[in-house]
Amino acid sequence: QAQLAESGGGLVQAGGSLRLSCAASGSSVTIYRMGWYRQAPGKQRELVATITSGGSTNYADSIKDRFTISRDNTKNTVDLRMNRLKSEDTAVYYCNVRTGLTPINWREYWGQGTQVTVSS
């Protein structure tokens, strides 16, 4: 039921910053977790960062000291602030939303993806 709108991707120099945003709409069920995954060319899609409705965060080891995730529960939006970007951060970033409160009731929704390119 949920539709995701992503924005904020672009081209940035190494060491720079970028902010990604995602807005969820069209869902009448509880959104338990929102976050971001990324997929570089020739690589598996990987988790970047997630945040639950209660504010608990989870970061990939490769970025947890540089990226910050936040959300607005009233607006069903999630932001990812990316600082000190590296060339290896170049990837398509996908917004991810998980609805439901328990694993048996979970539903996953994905955004179309937004390109982040970091030049060295």
Side-chain angles (χ1 to χ4, degrees):
Q1 291 181 314
Q3 293 181 325
L4 309 180
E6 303 154 319
S7 63
L11 175 65
V12 64
Q13 292 182 340
S17 300
L18 205 62
R19 177 186 291 176
L20 304 182
S21 297
C22 177
S25 62
S27 178
S28 61
V29 299
T30 300
I31 297 178
Y32 175 70
R33 193 191 75 169
M34 303 184 74
W36 293 90
Y37 289 67
R38 68 185 182 186
Q39 187 168 23
K43 295 186 178 295
Q44 186 85 351
R45 185 176 299 185
E46 64 178 356
L47 183 146
V48 178
T50 62
I51 184 168
T52 69
S53 59
S56 297
T57 58
N58 183 34
Y59 294 96
D61 290 339
S62 60
I63 57 87
K64 63 182 179 181
D65 59 333
R66 299 181 293 117
F67 293 6
T68 302
I69 192 168
S70 62
R71 67 181 292 174
D72 186 335
N73 290 335
T74 63
K75 298 180 179 180
N76 287 329
T77 59
V78 60
D79 288 354
L80 183 69
R81 290 180 292 164
M82 304 183 293
N83 299 316
R84 304 194 307 278
L85 284 161
K86 306 174 181 179
S87 60
E88 52 261 43
D89 295 319
T90 295
V92 177
Y93 284 70
Y94 296 91
C95 181
N96 170 262
V97 168
R98 176 180 292 170
T99 62
L101 298 177
T102 61
I104 194 171
N105 293 323
W106 283 347
R107 295 287 190 274
E108 299 278 351
Y109 299 90
W110 296 92
Q112 188 177 26
T114 183
Q115 177 71 46
V116 172
T117 302
V118 183
S119 62
S120 60

